[in-house]
Amino acid sequence: MARPLLAIIPALWVATIAIVAVQNATPVSIRLLTLQSIDIPFGVLLAFGVAGGMVAAAVGLALLRLAPAKRKPQR
């Protein structure tokens, strides 16, 4: 049951990003303090943000699995 759900959730995200990207082709730029990025479409920016979040979550989960499990002290 979990495997189909793991495939459906990213598929819905990709479909949502595609719809938003097509509807919002307006170029935007990111400004951080005095730095400013080039103008890129909002949908592309959103896609990079979601992809970066998925990669960060995957790396975080992998690191949590590598951490040694804490054992409860025996009485």
Side-chain angles (χ1 to χ4, degrees), residues 27-40 45:
V28 295
S29 64
I30 299 174
R31 188 172 191 149
L32 179 65
L33 300 176
T34 59
L35 304 173
Q36 186 172 355
S37 71
I38 60 172
D39 289 342
I40 55 176
L45 185 64

Side-chain angles (χ1 to χ4, degrees), residues 1-2 5 12 14 19 28 40 43-45 70 72:
M1 177 65 186
L5 187 63
L12 289 175
V14 169
I19 291 169
V28 295
I40 55 176
V44 173
L45 185 64
K70 294 182 181 179
K72 293 182 181 179

